[in-house]
Amino acid sequence: MITGVTEAYFTQVNSANIGLAATFSVNPSSCENSSFYKEYLRFSALSDLRSGHTTTHLFIDETASRIMGFLSLRASSIISQGEGSVMLGEPALEISMLAVDKEYERRGVGRTLIDFALSEAAELHNNHLGIRYIILAADPMAIPFYKKMGFVLLEDRWSHMPKENWSSRCDPMVLELNFESEYLETFIDDGDEDDDF
């Protein structure tokens, strides 16, 4: 559980909870583009959900009614060069965005968001579709955090992963999933309909 928080849960962004974005703020000393995340939550998260671009998951401190962090997920792939002119696509779940509110930094929220992405990847892989990787475009200041979580910088053998204009200065990173290892078994959904932790 998160240090200093007694009740927390995950939920998808929706019209009933979007007002909580007004108090969300990323520490500028932790991210080069800190204001972007609040603006994204307030003005784009719902429209991206409705258009099928991303699904944003909020991690909420229930007692304080505050968003501790959020991540936006979408289907994606890593493109590599095959033989000749053939391009290969490796199936991936992309963390399009991940941010932690400045009041909840260094309390385990970032790790919990990564664990949630692993859980979603395991659920998708075991029940719906193949996924080999989790990918993201990391803010340069966040690279040490993602390395601690097991991500590595995308190798030269990959030609590219999709990036948005806002993430053009970010570094592509990848986590290869191993569904036969025990670490992902702990993230597989037990069948509950909610996403509470």
Side-chain angles (χ1 to χ4, degrees):
M1 194 40 96
I2 305 307
T3 306
V5 175
T6 54
E7 304 265 344
Y9 64 95
F10 273 97
T11 188
Q12 277 188 23
V13 69
N14 59 52
S15 55
N17 61 30
I18 195 63
L20 297 176
T23 61
F24 186 84
S25 182
V26 174
N27 185 344
S29 65
S30 300
C31 173
E32 289 184 2
N33 197 8
S34 60
S35 63
F36 170 79
Y37 296 99
K38 181 176 186 169
E39 300 302 310
Y40 177 79
L41 272 181
R42 292 178 70 199
F43 303 115
S44 302
L46 272 177
S47 60
D48 279 359
L49 175 66
R50 292 175 180 146
S51 70
H53 188 69
T54 64
T55 299
T56 297
H57 303 271
L58 308 176
F59 188 38
I60 296 178
D61 176 346
E62 186 171 24
T63 305
S65 293
R66 287 198 55 176
I67 298 171
M68 295 184 285
F70 77 91
L71 76 165
S72 298
L73 301 174
R74 65 180 172 193
S76 193
S77 62
I78 308 174
I79 307 300
S80 63
Q81 181 70 47
E83 290 186 30
S85 61
V86 175
M87 301 301 286
L88 303 174
E90 295 287 349
L93 177 65
E94 181 180 346
I95 299 174
S96 177
M97 284 175 226
L98 184 149
V100 175
D101 184 90
K102 64 183 178 183
E103 300 298 321
Y104 293 91
E105 278 189 330
R106 306 202 190 318
R107 293 167 67 179
V109 174
R111 176 178 293 277
T112 301
L113 294 170
I114 295 295
D115 288 349
F116 181 83
L118 286 167
S119 173
E120 294 296 289
E123 169 70 17
L124 288 168
H125 175 77
N126 290 329
N127 297 301
H128 304 288
L129 51 92
I131 295 178
R132 291 194 60 199
Y133 302 95
I134 294 180
I135 58 174
L136 54 86
D139 182 286
M141 296 172 75
I143 289 174
F145 164 75
Y146 288 118
K147 283 185 173 180
K148 278 202 296 191
M149 298 296 105
F151 287 83
V152 296
L153 291 168
L154 213 55
E155 299 174 4
D156 291 339
R157 67 187 173 118
W158 304 108
S159 58
H160 67 278
M161 65 166 271
K163 288 171 86 173
E164 306 284 331
N165 287 338
W166 71 269
S167 65
S168 62
R169 292 180 42 216
C170 297
D171 294 307
M173 298 189 80
V174 62
L175 174 67
E176 185 169 4
L177 301 173
N178 179 357
F179 291 100
E180 295 179 9
S181 71
E182 291 183 26
Y183 83 94
L184 277 180
E185 289 178 14
T186 61
F187 300 113
I188 296 173
D189 188 3
D190 61 5
D192 289 343
E193 290 300 312
D194 59 31
D195 292 323
D196 291 352
F197 272 79

